[in-house]
């Protein structure tokens, strides 16, 4: 590792690897991070990896950049014994890293560390058709959600003892560029936020998975979201983390590419693609990248035995013409380790594996109040 100075008006360059210190607790072996890419000079990608010596092309990615667009993507990244990983970038751009939690081996995790409890993906709210509740305020409000306001999402599907909710947050029809921040309602202070879960431009539809700290209510677990610009919001729950028995532990796996349709013809709208995941696991943590879309649309991932062909009632990612978009998903697997992805529109799909969940997985989740640990835009600001 060497020290290199960057003027505040400059950006990290093509091929650079930036050391990211996640401030992990002792014993942690992976961090849950939201990686945001800003101000890209051209189309490119970022890969989270070990800081060990490495050269040559990368074979997986943790986020994709588009000029004049701010993009964010969740990742679970292996870290060293000092809590660090390196972020490689293929393009000149700025990067922002917000930490949402850590995975720790069961032997050192203690009784409060959590396991993943999965749900068949369920839509909790869609402000285009549903009414919603303000944080600590009245319900029955109609969408869109006004700029600068908080929305509360409460569900009996997630028990009150959950420490965090695994939710896919989609923003659509925003009136201006902005961001969404999700947290437990007591922790989400009104007003501009210091970290984010999803970024968008005016008129875009953007989705990102989030691990959101949850609070207990008589009606079930509750989370809140803040939106900096007026927009419609959709929240799909995929599961929750809790110390309760019966859940799944995490296993970090070497990043690998499971599928890349760019080697052939672009799949048509309505296609269901089968992907071979890790055998013996219950669910796969995968990065789903959409590129070269012919129209705007969405994708839905699930076990092949559960995914019925045709329009879906939930989604794991969205894309539009001229943009490369990525979103992480926890996808249940069939007994042979496979899962399927439904494409609502003609698009190429790239699938990268980050890890797996199973009853025998040894790593336990330790949540934190989301915190910004890196922002290359202010590395040398005074």
């Amino acid at each position: 590792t060497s020290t290199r100075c960057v003027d505040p008006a400059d950006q990290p360059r093509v091929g650079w690897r930036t050391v990211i210190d996640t401030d992990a607790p002792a014993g942690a072996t992976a961090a849950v991070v939201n990686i945001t890419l800003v101000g890209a000079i051209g189309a490119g990608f970022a890969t989270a990896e070990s800081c060990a010596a490495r050269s040559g092309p990368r074979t997986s990615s943790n986020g994709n950049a588009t000029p004049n667009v701010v993009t964010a993507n969740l990742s679970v990244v292996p870290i060293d014994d000092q809590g660090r990983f390196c972020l490689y970038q293929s393009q000149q751009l700025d990067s922002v890293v917000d930490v949402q939690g850590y995975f720790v081996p069961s032997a050192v995790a203690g009784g409060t560390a959590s396991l993943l409890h999965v749900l068949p993906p369920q839509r909790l709210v869609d402000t285009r058709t549903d009414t919603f509740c303000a944080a600590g305020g009245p319900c029955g409000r109609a969408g869109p959600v006004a700029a600068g306001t908080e929305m509360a999402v409460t569900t009996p599907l997630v028990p009150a003892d959950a420490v965090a909710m695994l939710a896919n947050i989609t923003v659509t029809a925003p009136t201006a560029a902005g961001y969404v921040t999700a947290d437990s309602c007591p922790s989400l202070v009104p007003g501009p936020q210091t970290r984010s879960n999803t970024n968008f431009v005016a008129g875009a539809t953007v989705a990102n998975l989030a691990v959101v700290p949850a609070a207990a209510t008589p009606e079930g677990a509750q989370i809140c979201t803040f939106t900096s610009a007026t927009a419609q919001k959709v929240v799909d729950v995929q599961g929750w983390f809790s110390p309760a028995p019966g859940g799944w532990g995490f296993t970090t796996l070497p990043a690998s590419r499971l599928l890349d349709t760019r080697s052939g013809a672009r799949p048509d709208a309505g296609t269901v693609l089968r992907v071979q995941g890790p055998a013996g696991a219950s669910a796969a943590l995968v990065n789903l990248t959409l590129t070269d879309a012919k129209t705007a649309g969405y994708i839905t991932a699930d076990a092949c035995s559960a995914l019925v062909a045709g329009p879906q009632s939930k989604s794991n990612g969205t894309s539009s013409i001229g943009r490369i978009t990525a979103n992480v998903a926890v996808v249940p697997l069939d007994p042979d380790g496979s899962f399927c992805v439904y494409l609502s529109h003609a698009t190429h799909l790239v699938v990268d594996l980050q890890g797996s969940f199973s009853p025998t997985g040894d790593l336990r989740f330790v949540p934190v109040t989301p915190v910004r640990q890196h922002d290359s835009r202010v590395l040398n600001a005074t």
Side-chain angles (χ1 to χ4, degrees):
T1 302
S2 61
T3 300
R4 183 171 293 180
C5 291
V6 180
D7 184 273
D10 204 353
Q11 291 178 301
R13 307 295 177 82
V14 174
W16 282 19
R17 296 200 301 165
T18 303
V19 180
I20 310 297
D21 186 350
T22 68
D23 196 25
T29 60
V32 182
V33 296
N34 199 60
I35 299 172
T36 303
L37 306 179
V38 186
I41 300 300
F45 65 90
T47 299
E49 60 189 29
S50 164
C51 292
R54 181 173 179 181
S55 61
R58 271 48 179 182
T59 56
S60 64
S61 65
N62 296 84
N64 295 81
T66 301
N68 303 315
V69 176
V70 180
T71 60
N73 196 31
L74 188 76
S75 293
V76 178
V77 182
I79 54 178
D80 63 19
D81 57 7
Q82 297 182 60
R84 304 174 305 177
F85 69 92
C86 273
L87 189 64
Y88 167 87
Q89 56 188 65
S90 73
Q91 184 57 265
Q92 181 175 325
L93 51 79
D94 280 302
S95 58
V96 180
V97 177
D98 297 329
V99 176
Q100 299 183 11
Y102 306 95
F103 281 100
V104 180
S106 60
V108 298
T112 59
S114 299
L115 297 166
L116 174 65
H117 301 255
V118 296
L119 284 169
Q122 303 268 352
R123 180 145 293 174
L124 300 184
V125 64
D126 183 341
T127 63
R128 296 171 297 182
T129 56
D130 306 329
T131 59
F132 65 92
C133 298
C139 295
R141 295 191 172 191
V145 181
T149 62
E150 294 179 40
M151 181 181 78
V153 180
T154 308
T155 176
L157 296 172
V158 178
D161 68 348
V163 299
M165 190 183 301
L166 187 67
N168 200 62
I169 301 172
T170 302
V171 175
T172 188
T175 58
Y179 63 89
V180 169
T181 300
D183 203 345
S184 67
C185 297
S187 298
L188 191 61
V189 178
Q193 304 295 310
T194 58
R195 72 272 183 188
S196 64
N197 296 89
T198 301
N199 298 79
F200 49 83
V201 295
T205 298
V206 181
N208 197 21
L209 188 68
V211 180
V212 188
T217 74
E219 291 78 32
Q222 183 183 72
I223 62 173
C224 276
T225 63
F226 169 89
T227 309
S228 69
T230 299
Q232 303 283 8
K233 289 199 284 190
V234 182
V235 179
D236 297 329
V237 64
Q238 296 184 12
W240 74 93
F241 288 95
S242 166
W248 298 341
F250 184 65
T251 301
T252 302
L253 298 173
S256 62
R257 183 145 290 175
L258 302 181
L259 176 72
D260 188 343
T261 65
R262 294 174 298 179
S263 59
R266 179 173 50 196
D268 293 327
T271 298
V272 175
L273 297 171
R274 182 182 179 278
V275 183
Q276 183 59 52
S282 303
L285 180 71
V286 292
N287 195 58
L288 306 169
T289 302
L290 302 175
T291 183
D292 194 26
K294 192 172 182 180
T295 62
Y298 66 90
I299 62 169
T300 302
D302 206 343
C304 296
S305 58
L307 189 64
V308 178
Q312 306 292 313
S313 60
K314 66 272 185 182
S315 66
N316 295 95
T318 61
S319 67
S320 57
I321 298 173
R323 287 192 59 188
I324 302 174
T325 59
N327 196 20
V328 163
V330 176
V331 186
L333 302 176
D334 279 320
D336 64 354
S338 67
F339 65 94
C340 284
V341 183
Y342 168 83
L343 311 178
S344 77
H345 58 309
T347 183
H348 278 300
L349 173 67
V350 181
V351 181
D352 293 330
L353 178 67
Q354 294 186 10
S356 67
F357 289 93
S358 69
T360 58
D362 184 62
L363 298 182
R364 305 295 189 260
F365 178 66
V366 177
V368 297
T369 298
V371 59
R372 181 149 293 174
Q373 293 290 61
H374 162 77
D375 187 341
S376 69
R377 298 170 297 180
V378 295
L379 280 178
N380 295 310
T382 58

